[in-house]
Each structure stands twice: as C-alpha cells, then as structure tokens.
Amino acid sequence: MIKGAFIFRLKFWLHVLRIFGLLFVSGMIFIQIPELRYDFGPKRPVTIPDPKGLSAEKMPGTLFVSIKGTPDFERAFVYKRYGLSYTYFNIKPYGERLVVRTYEPVTDEWKNLTRFLGKLRHFDHQPFHYRIRDIYEEKFGVTIPEDAFFLALDDVPESNGWQVGAFLFACILWAVMFYMFYFYRWKRGSHQEQENQPRNTPQS
C-alpha cells in the first residue's frame, strides 16, 4: 500500500513537471509573436502629429510610429538594469501620457529634435513598467495615467534571423516535448502490453 501511494505521488509530480515544461515553452513562443509581428510589419511609420492621435482606439497593439513634438527633460532619469542603462523622458505636448526610452546618452543637441521614431506600445506592455511607474511617483510625485504609451526610440522593424530561429526552435521543442510526454509513452506502453499477453500454443 505504501509503495502504491509512493508511485501515485511520483506519477502526479511527473505529470505536473510535464505541464510546467510545456507551459514554460509556450510562454517563450507567445512572447516572441508580437515582436515577430512588429519586425515583419509595415516599414513605413504611422505619423502622430498631436496628442489627439495618441489613443488606444487609433493605436492598437505595437506600431512603428513617427511622433511630432519636442523633448521634455524636466523629469528625465536613468534607469539601470542587468548592466544596461536606459534614459527615460517625456515629449511635449504629450506629458506623462508618453514615456520615451533610449539607450543612447542624452545631450544638449537632443533639445532641437522635433520628431521621434520608434516602437510604440501601451505603457503596461513594456518591460519593468511597474518599476518605471514607481520611479515617477517617488522622484517627481507624478502618476503615469492608465492610458499612457511607451516609445522605444530608434527601434525600427527589422527581420532578425536569430529571433526567427529561436521562435522555430521553441515551436519544435514544444511539439517534441508533447509527443514524448504523452503519445510516445502511450505507444510504448501499448506495445509492451501486447508482448506481455499470453500466446496461444498449438496443442498436439
């Protein structure tokens, strides 16, 4: 009885691990889909001339855009993560509804910019959005609105062979794991049952 309970628990946790593995690989696949859709999407940016053009109805999903405005460095700050430094700032006249991120160091020449090119998405869909919200509240006492957007500066649509390869590898890995976890074991078990069945011997 104790042995049977142990085997049952072992099978249960193995099943949980299989499901976790499939879910993990599925997450890798779904994370890459929006990025691939953007990289293989239109190469011509959508022009946003003023704050009226910045809305969830007009800007669904992730888009390649060209935004007209002037930089606002009053609430600019540098955020470091995993050894990388990102500079965040706003664009007039959009205010806190548009948060911009760049990898490049900001200089005085940036004050003369009037157009900003990059990847636009909803603010909550960017990495570390919760931390960026906290920084705005802690340093400037400003709350980022729920309908805010995020612009990854100079992130233009461009097909990447490594990214496509990673996506295909994840899809193949998921299919192989699913087959090995369920179908291969079932076929092997059925084959063993057939071999273990008693064979009829001819009687003399």
Side-chain angles (χ1 to χ4, degrees):
M1 183 175 179
I2 297 177
K3 183 178 180 181
F6 174 77
I7 294 175
F8 175 78
R9 290 180 180 178
L10 181 62
K11 289 182 177 180
F12 171 78
W13 286 112
L14 286 175
H15 182 65
V16 171
L17 288 175
R18 293 190 191 103
I19 294 177
F20 177 79
L22 290 173
L23 290 176
F24 179 78
V25 179
S26 299
M28 294 173 57
I29 295 173
F30 283 108
I31 287 175
Q32 296 180 66
I33 289 176
E35 300 297 328
L36 288 173
R37 188 180 300 167
Y38 175 79
D39 289 335
F40 286 93
K43 307 302 181 184
R44 186 174 182 178
V46 177
T47 301
I48 302 178
D50 51 50
K52 293 181 180 179
L54 197 65
S55 64
E57 293 77 15
K58 297 180 180 179
M59 298 291 148
T62 303
L63 296 175
F64 179 43
V65 299
S66 173
I67 297 180
K68 184 178 180 180
T70 56
D72 181 7
F73 298 127
E74 182 180 354
R75 299 186 180 94
F77 62 91
V78 176
Y79 178 61
K80 296 183 179 181
R81 189 89 174 194
Y82 302 129
L84 299 175
S85 296
Y86 311 95
T87 300
Y88 288 82
F89 61 94
N90 302 111
I91 297 178
K92 297 178 181 179
Y94 304 89
E96 288 76 31
R97 289 194 62 236
L98 181 59
V99 178
V100 184
R101 183 196 69 191
T102 178
Y103 296 98
E104 300 180 8
V106 175
T107 62
D108 291 337
E109 297 178 355
W110 285 55
K111 296 179 180 180
N112 300 323
L113 297 177
T114 57
R115 285 196 176 273
F116 300 86
L117 201 69
K119 180 195 295 185
L120 182 74
R121 62 175 66 173
H122 293 281
F123 183 83
D124 289 341
H125 294 172
Q126 64 148 325
F128 319 122
H129 62 88
Y130 52 90
R131 182 58 188 142
I132 303 304
R133 282 186 183 275
D134 292 341
I135 292 176
Y136 268 95
E137 292 181 358
E138 294 169 2
K139 294 189 67 172
F140 312 113
V142 173
T143 300
I144 300 297
E146 295 298 327
D147 61 345
F149 285 83
F150 165 76
L151 178 67
L153 205 61
D154 296 330
D155 190 344
V156 300
E158 184 179 5
S159 57
N160 188 321
W162 288 102
Q163 189 173 7
V164 174
F167 177 77
L168 294 177
F169 174 79
C171 292
I172 295 173
L173 178 62
W174 189 95
V176 171
M177 290 173 62
F178 187 81
Y179 175 80
M180 295 297 294
F181 288 163
Y182 298 103
F183 291 97
Y184 176 76
R185 184 182 178 187
W186 178 78
K187 288 183 178 181
R188 185 179 61 180
S190 300
H191 182 69
Q192 289 179 350
E193 288 181 0
Q194 292 178 0
E195 290 183 348
N196 293 333
Q197 288 180 356
R199 298 179 180 179
N200 295 327
T201 56
Q203 296 180 357
S204 57

